[in-house]
Amino acid sequence: MPDTALLPDLALLPAAGLGRVVVVGLGYVGRPLALEAAASGFDVTGFDLDPMAVVAAEAAWRATPPAPGAARLAATVDPGCLPAAETWLICVPTPLDADGRPDLSAVAAALATCRAQIPRGGLACLVSTCQPGATNGLCRRVLERDGWQVGRDVFLAVSPERENPGDAALGPRRIPRLLGAPDDASLLRARRFWDRVTDRVVPVASPEIAECAKLLENTYRLVNIALIDELHRSFAALGVPTRAVVAAASTKPFGFAPFWPGLGAGGHCIPVDPAYLQMEARRAGAPSALLDAALAANRARPGRALAAIAGAFGGSLAGRRILVAGVTYKPDVADLRGAAPVALLHGLRACGAEAAWWDPLVEECPGELAGLPRADDPSGQGWAAPEAIVLGTPHRGLDLAGLARLAPMVFDPFGLVPPDAEGRVRVL
Ligand SMILES: NC(=O)c1ccc[n+]([C@@H]2O[C@H](COP(=O)([O-])OP(=O)(O)OC[C@H]3O[C@@H](n4cnc5c(N)ncnc54)[C@H](O)[C@@H]3O)[C@@H](O)[C@H]2O)c1
């Protein structure tokens, strides 16, 4: 029987001093969540293995004026300094390994850190994206070490993050938060926490529903992005501008959601999360062929662009000076993880092109771009004048019409650069 007597009745507590929270993993998800929990009155300690993540989190928090009633916010790399907090949020990466298989090692390690410190009656909430069954399987196993029982001695929930990077208007408070738990006591305990931190909590009947809903959201996006990227080629062959087609279809008031063409979905979620769903679907004997096709089409998208560029140069890219303008995985963010323009750059180099990159949002030269020359601006200054420019990421404010004037050829996977009289602009 769940021991609800262990539940601190947060509803009866004053607005400040609501208890302690540890956020494990201070990346794109953990950083803003820690800030929001502190702004909601919780005493928050962030924990990350990477000292740079701690420095970045502290800098981000310093740059944000504390909300009225905000509580203490600190960060550390030392697990020995973590308090026995009542609430633990697990926000660590869930990538794919070198063979493309889901890698939950960071979640397991983060939970072990949590288990070592969490007091009896505490809550561990998985925020990272995981496969169905991770909460009731891996998470439960770690928490129940040494005879504890979830729902009686410790509480467990899953609330997958749905953040939209680059969208300042939709922070952790405003996006409805799915919440699933293995038992009623855990759900109640988790709800008491999240009701303080977000405007709308959406409880669901099981952890697996929350896990699958998150994976469905990103699978839906992956499949539709792969579809429009392929149809973009079909529409171009028919001489029809894809963006005009999507804009026209979008006037239908029901049954259609617009997706726009590009160089393929990148980042740490859309090309990755569906593989977590596929892994479990396969294990259950019900894999999705459509999902396999979408994953493969998305992976192949930069290669298809590369082949089209090579075709425009008569089949050989050897010695061609090609500039990729914009290299992040989506507009207006500085994140290079899984970025399709970076894959294209490496492809261009492998084919012998003298490829370089330019991106106003990328200040330092991170590992993904190691060995690739950087141009100071899209005209190629600081580098040899380009023979072709590829629009890699259409950041807001980029002068797209200006790009078309800077090189004899401009390749545009988005259908955004206005065509010119000389026919320099090619759809990719
Ligand atoms: N970034 C997004 O937009 C986004 C959106 C929705 C969901 N998610 C999901 O949220 C989770 C976190 O993503 P992210 O983008 O914040 O990742 P991230 O890589 O930006 O940050 C994760 C942080 O966790 C740290 N870390 C790794 N192992 C650790 C451990 N054992 N203990 C403490 N810290 C550890 C890393 O050093 C890193 O700083 C992933 O599951 C991701 O799929 C991300």
Side-chain angles (χ1 to χ4, degrees):
M1 281 288 287
D3 183 357
T4 48
L6 277 171
L7 295 173
D9 196 345
L10 297 182
L12 299 177
L13 293 174
L18 293 177
R20 293 159 299 176
V21 174
V22 170
V23 176
V24 186
L26 295 173
Y28 287 84
V29 167
R31 256 190 328 255
L33 209 45
L35 190 64
E36 197 63 59
S40 309
F42 291 95
D43 183 355
V44 180
T45 307
F47 170 62
D48 203 294
L49 299 175
D50 178 0
M52 295 309 293
V54 167
V55 170
E58 286 172 336
W61 298 338
R62 267 197 307 276
T64 314
R72 194 183 77 96
L73 191 55
T76 181
V77 285
D78 183 356
C81 291
L82 293 175
E86 293 79 11
T87 301
W88 291 67
L89 306 180
I90 309 298
C91 306
V92 295
T94 46
L96 300 177
D97 66 16
D99 299 321
R101 286 188 308 246
D103 175 2
L104 284 178
S105 56
V107 171
L111 279 163
T113 305
C114 159
R115 178 64 186 87
Q117 300 278 16
I118 193 169
R120 196 176 267 269
L123 164 75
C125 186
L126 183 61
V127 177
S128 299
T129 307
C130 280
Q131 77 274 20
T135 309
N136 251 324
L138 172 71
C139 299
R140 179 190 277 275
R141 272 198 306 281
V142 177
L143 290 176
E144 291 190 335
R145 263 181 216 155
D146 310 321
W148 275 14
Q149 191 181 315
V150 163
R152 185 191 67 190
D153 307 293
V154 67
F155 301 105
L156 171 64
V158 57
S159 183
E161 183 57 53
R162 302 161 113 184
E163 181 196 350
N164 184 22
D167 185 347
L170 277 180
R173 178 164 281 282
R174 300 228 8 235
I175 301 176
R177 192 157 270 286
L178 297 175
L179 184 61
D183 57 88
D184 290 347
S186 290
L187 190 65
L188 181 65
R189 169 66 178 84
R191 201 160 175 179
R192 285 177 184 167
F193 170 75
W194 286 111
D195 272 342
R196 296 277 183 178
V197 177
T198 60
D199 288 343
R200 186 167 166 227
V201 176
V202 184
V204 294
S206 71
E208 290 76 19
I209 292 175
E211 291 160 342
C212 284
K214 169 70 193 178
L215 297 177
L216 172 63
E217 289 164 12
N218 280 356
T219 299
Y220 170 81
R221 293 191 62 192
L222 174 83
V223 169
N224 280 286
I225 289 168
L227 175 68
I228 198 65
D229 283 348
E230 278 202 357
L231 290 182
H232 184 40
R233 182 173 53 169
S234 310
F235 290 137
L238 294 167
V240 182
T242 306
R243 296 189 77 84
V245 174
V246 177
S250 300
T251 60
K252 188 179 177 190
F254 58 92
F256 183 83
F259 285 82
W260 305 93
L263 203 46
H268 29 75
C269 293
I270 293 174
V272 172
D273 299 351
Y276 278 73
L277 179 57
Q278 188 69 310
M279 175 184 74
E280 284 309 299
R282 219 169 249 140
R283 208 195 301 276
S288 158
L290 182 60
L291 180 44
D292 273 342
L295 282 164
N298 190 61
R299 268 195 300 272
R301 176 68 180 107
R304 187 153 66 73
L306 181 65
I309 297 168
F313 278 105
S316 171
L317 289 169
R320 298 298 188 173
R321 292 187 311 282
I322 300 174
L323 182 78
V324 177
V327 289
T328 62
Y329 86 87
K330 70 181 268 194
D332 309 321
V333 301
D335 191 346
L336 288 159
R337 290 177 295 174
V342 175
L344 178 62
L345 265 165
H346 286 292
L348 289 165
R349 298 289 289 188
C351 291
E354 283 182 35
W357 62 276
W358 169 81
D359 194 308
L361 296 190
V362 180
E363 279 162 16
E364 284 160 19
C365 193
E368 287 91 340
L369 295 168
L372 295 168
R374 173 185 197 150
D376 288 343
D377 67 46
S379 69
Q381 279 184 17
W383 183 69
E387 292 171 80
I389 292 182
V390 183
L391 180 58
T393 315
H395 295 304
R396 217 182 338 233
L398 217 60
D399 176 10
L400 298 175
L403 271 183
R405 292 192 292 272
L406 294 174
M409 271 192 268
V410 174
F411 294 97
D412 174 15
F414 304 91
L416 279 170
V417 182
D420 64 355
E422 294 90 46
R424 298 173 186 211
V425 182
R426 323 266 171 122
V427 168
L428 259 191

